[in-house]
Amino acid sequence: MADPSPSLSEPGAAPAKVAVLLATKNGAAFLDEQLRSLAGQTWPAIDVWASDDGSTDATVAILSQWRERWSRGAFTLLDGPRAGFAENFRFLLACDAGNADYVAFCDQDDLWEREKLSRAIGWMRSQDAAVPLLFCSRTYTVTERGDVVGMSPLFRRKPSFRNALVQSLAGGNTMVMNRPASRLLARAASRSPFVSHDWLAYQIVTGAGGVVHYCKEPLVRYRQHGGNVVGANTSMEARLARLKLLLDGRFKRWTDANLASLGCNRDLLTPDALAALDEFAEARQGNMLGAMARLRRSGVYRQTLQGTLGLWGAALFRLL
């Protein structure tokens, strides 16, 4: 079933405001195209919060030009913390953008489908507005020139905290949140650094009893080029690269960081999420048999059978 698309505004009322959190650094090659795709959204009320992390190319000039002609709402240009993409998004989460009705993450080099925001808001308007809500989707994979060459994997298992503990479900470039979710995430981010904003959003929203909707239709064109911080997981080469991350201990370090961040936010989590978190944390300690038993009790899983088997293998060889 297709996700509902709302009318652009309620009769007699101003349309809900979306705050787009755009993190940039040396993105001049593709930034103008991304901003044109934002300007082409069918949702009319969009504030842009751009944080530049110390660009040495024309990025800031492009942002300044767009700020002058932006007609959808406010366009705020900030000087970022200059400490990497995760800290740049953490900085953006601390801004007043949390007062917007909806908040979306944005990378500097993608292209958004015209209905992206409308589709996300349409789903959220069909849910309980008091509950933290997170919308995400698949992506098209495109070349530097923008030619579509594939799609991100289709995940079929239900989004949940037990999945979020060991897997980031979707790219931050696809994510849109309602106000309860964005405020929750800003609160969590203020307490601790994190591996990535998208993974943190998935963990905190599901861990706090919120709802995550994974749209099976791609709504972002995810550009692949030499400057990608994290590439698409669509080819055998990409999967082998991720296997290398597991074998060289990177995934273990990411898990350490995620658990440290969640440890700073235990008061935001439901009792069920805390039980899963503690079992999973214990599964990474002690002897092999005890670790495997605790991993089973934790109920954690990845979206594919292959991924889950890899997870158990990582636990077996103490790489989790």
Side-chain angles (χ1 to χ4, degrees):
M1 178 183 296
D3 298 295
S5 293
S7 60
L8 295 184
S9 62
E10 299 298 332
K17 183 73 71 175
V18 182
V20 173
L21 307 185
L22 169 61
T24 65
K25 183 175 183 181
N26 294 333
F30 308 113
L31 180 58
D32 190 69
E33 284 187 273
Q34 171 65 293
L35 288 166
R36 274 189 270 138
S37 78
L38 295 187
Q41 289 295 296
T42 57
W43 193 263
I46 303 172
D47 288 343
V48 176
W49 293 74
S51 174
D52 186 74
D53 216 30
S55 291
T56 56
D57 62 2
T59 295
V60 174
I62 293 170
L63 290 170
S64 298
Q65 291 164 7
W66 272 95
R67 180 175 57 181
E68 293 302 314
R69 65 178 188 263
W70 189 255
S71 60
R72 296 298 195 93
F75 194 116
T76 303
L77 178 53
L78 303 166
D79 187 15
R82 306 188 183 204
F85 84 97
E87 283 298 304
N88 203 7
F89 275 112
R90 187 180 179 207
F91 172 71
L92 281 164
L93 282 167
C95 296
D96 291 336
N99 291 322
D101 300 289
Y102 303 100
V103 172
F105 293 125
C106 184
D107 293 342
Q108 64 187 5
D109 46 11
D110 302 321
L111 294 164
W112 287 10
E113 300 297 301
R114 282 176 52 81
E115 294 287 334
K116 175 191 168 176
L117 292 177
S118 294
R119 292 286 296 278
I121 294 168
W123 171 73
M124 285 187 276
R125 284 186 165 179
S126 72
Q127 307 295 307
D128 183 349
V131 173
L133 302 172
L134 175 65
F135 178 98
C136 57
S137 77
R138 297 176 74 189
T139 58
Y140 290 111
T141 306
V142 302
T143 64
E144 285 195 31
R145 297 188 308 173
D147 300 323
V148 176
V149 293
M151 289 189 287
S152 60
L154 174 59
F155 295 138
R156 300 183 183 278
R157 300 191 71 175
K158 181 179 178 181
S160 75
F161 183 70
R162 285 171 169 80
N163 178 222
L165 279 171
V166 292
Q167 183 175 18
S168 184
L169 180 68
N173 55 358
T174 74
M175 291 181 170
V176 186
M177 298 168 280
N178 69 349
R179 188 180 300 177
S182 65
R183 286 182 169 173
L184 187 71
L185 190 56
R187 186 178 174 188
S190 72
R191 299 173 174 180
S192 170
F194 46 78
V195 173
S196 65
H197 56 294
D198 43 15
W199 206 344
L200 179 75
Y202 186 29
Q203 290 178 338
I204 292 297
V205 172
T206 54
V211 179
V212 173
H213 177 63
Y214 171 75
C215 177
K216 296 178 174 59
E217 298 176 43
L219 295 174
V220 171
R221 298 185 178 227
Y222 184 19
R223 197 190 304 266
Q224 299 298 289
H225 56 84
N228 286 117
V229 176
V230 180
N233 185 20
T234 56
S235 66
M236 182 57 68
E237 182 180 1
R239 293 186 177 98
L240 289 174
R242 281 164 167 72
L243 177 60
K244 182 176 182 296
L245 296 180
L246 176 67
L247 296 176
D248 72 8
R250 188 88 54 89
F251 183 78
K252 188 176 188 298
R253 293 193 293 274
W254 285 348
T255 303
D256 288 339
N258 283 338
L259 293 184
S261 179
L262 289 170
C264 294
N265 291 288
R266 290 180 65 89
D267 60 309
L268 304 182
L269 306 180
T270 66
D272 182 65
L274 287 171
L277 173 63
D278 291 342
E279 284 285 4
F280 177 66
E282 288 294 327
R284 304 177 71 233
Q285 311 297 325
N287 63 63
M288 184 184 300
L289 290 179
M292 300 301 279
R294 289 190 177 97
L295 184 65
R296 180 182 60 79
R297 286 198 300 269
S298 75
V300 299
Y301 63 90
R302 290 178 64 87
Q303 284 290 325
T304 64
L305 176 60
Q306 180 184 25
T308 300
L309 290 174
L311 177 70
W312 282 82
L316 187 64
F317 292 101
R318 319 304 292 165
L319 296 171
L320 186 58

